[in-house]
Amino acid sequence: MADLDRDAIPRHVGIIMDGNGRWANARGLHRTAGHAAGEPALFDVIEGALDLGLEWLTVYTFSTENWSRHPDEVEFLMQFNVDLLERRRDELHEMGVRLLFIGDRDDPRVPDPVRSRMTAAEELTKDNRTLNMVYAFNYGGRAEIAKAARRIAIEAAADDLDPAAVNIETVARRMYLPEMPDPDLIIRTSGEYRTSNFLVWQAAYSELVFTPVLWPDFDRDELARCIAEYQGRDRRYGGAVDSLGEVDQ
Ligand code: IPE
Ligand code: IPE
Ligand code: MG
């Protein structure tokens, strides 16, 4: 396991779990076998996150753009998420994990069983505090910002909000999960150097770590290695480093 500064563990890590299809293709398997192989990787990472004492872990499980895939793959992913939330929910609960969801779950394309499993998991785990695990499902950062803008417009039209007073806080409070802190670190697997509509608003000052490892091969050791890379970064937030190498706040 990478040598980590236990006093500088990021509070919130986001993961773009990518590369399932390529992992499967490389083995002559159907893409869906890659999604199934991603499940143990996710659970190893959750255990790693608990070990490290992360407060928040957000995983990108289905994007608003993923509907454009072949209907068979989309259907598999919907069913897979229903199964996973059903099979693993109690285990996560026992581990003290609080499950939360971001994304457009009211979208009519989201099957009812997915919606009901989400609500049940949220309800069951609502008092847990060991790890907040956010499941980004039918999630798109742009859709999230558009929804916030729509709410602001509706409130302003109803005279509940002064349009001239709209600021960053006004928008932030209308995100899917206002209590979620911004991610300190966002990891993307599979060697792609993009964020694909993940946490567009919240990632303004996140550190980005890209790894060539395909998601099914990722595990808690890889998580620790990514966090070690994060710990080597200078987070300046637009400030400057003075001649002594200290960051001016
Ligand atoms: C990520 O793996 C999982 C989802 C997007 C649901 P991919 O399915 O995108 O795998 P690649 O990128 O095609 O290898
Ligand atoms: C991002 O991966 C979405 C998830 C991991 C759920 P994609 O595979 O959909 O992203 P692109 O198409 O390579 O940008
Ligand atoms: Mg992909």
Side-chain angles (χ1 to χ4, degrees):
M1 171 118 20
D3 210 7
L4 288 182
D5 177 353
R6 292 269 169 172
D7 295 326
I9 298 296
R11 189 172 172 214
H12 182 185
V13 174
I15 308 185
I16 303 168
M17 309 184 292
D18 195 21
N20 297 351
R22 278 164 283 169
W23 183 93
N25 286 340
R27 286 161 179 76
L29 302 170
H30 195 271
R31 294 179 53 82
T32 52
H35 299 313
E39 182 181 331
L42 175 60
F43 279 77
D44 201 60
V45 163
I46 294 169
E47 284 175 20
L50 288 164
D51 247 22
L52 291 167
L54 292 193
E55 267 181 65
W56 291 80
L57 174 70
T58 298
V59 291
Y60 204 5
T61 59
F62 191 87
S63 78
T64 47
E65 287 71 38
N66 288 148
W67 296 106
S68 67
R69 296 189 178 197
H70 190 283
D72 290 348
E73 183 174 354
V74 170
E75 201 187 311
F76 175 89
L77 286 168
M78 293 301 139
Q79 192 52 45
F80 181 64
N81 278 284
V82 171
D83 283 355
L84 191 131
L85 290 171
E86 208 164 81
R87 280 187 289 106
R88 300 286 207 155
R89 190 193 64 180
D90 292 344
E91 191 182 331
L92 288 169
H93 183 47
E94 275 160 30
M95 290 156 117
V97 174
R98 177 163 72 134
L99 269 161
L100 299 151
F101 298 87
I102 55 175
D104 183 6
R105 68 170 99 172
D106 299 327
D107 185 329
R109 292 173 298 181
V110 173
D112 281 335
V114 181
R115 229 186 320 275
S116 61
R117 296 312 182 284
M118 285 180 181
T119 313
E122 223 166 34
E123 182 56 30
L124 176 74
T125 64
K126 67 178 190 304
D127 297 323
N128 293 345
R129 288 295 177 270
T130 314
L131 171 70
N132 297 287
M133 183 169 126
V134 184
Y135 208 86
F137 185 85
N138 194 21
Y139 176 84
R142 287 182 166 182
E144 180 176 35
I145 295 167
K147 180 177 157 275
R150 194 160 56 243
R151 278 187 52 191
I152 289 168
I154 291 168
E155 288 171 42
D159 263 347
D160 288 336
L161 185 76
D162 173 8
V166 172
N167 58 20
I168 292 171
E169 269 310 302
T170 322
V171 180
R173 277 200 302 272
R174 286 160 183 80
M175 293 286 124
Y176 288 122
L177 207 54
E179 65 175 301
M180 180 181 84
D182 289 343
D184 302 292
L185 164 64
I186 292 177
I187 299 167
R188 181 173 189 144
T189 60
S190 87
E192 307 292 354
Y193 297 91
R194 55 178 172 266
T195 53
S196 303
N197 209 6
F198 185 53
L199 302 179
V200 173
W201 173 268
Q202 299 87 342
Y205 269 102
S206 302
E207 295 295 328
L208 307 178
V209 169
F210 299 98
T211 164
V213 175
L214 302 175
W215 176 252
D217 293 328
F218 199 86
D219 60 12
R220 70 181 85 187
D221 291 343
E222 272 302 316
L223 172 69
R225 203 199 55 71
C226 293
I227 292 177
E229 187 171 331
Y230 159 86
Q231 289 184 337
R233 305 273 178 91
D234 269 336
R235 300 189 75 187
R236 287 197 285 280
Y237 299 101
V241 178
D242 71 16
S243 56
L244 298 172
E246 309 255 310
V247 176
D248 291 335
Q249 292 293 339

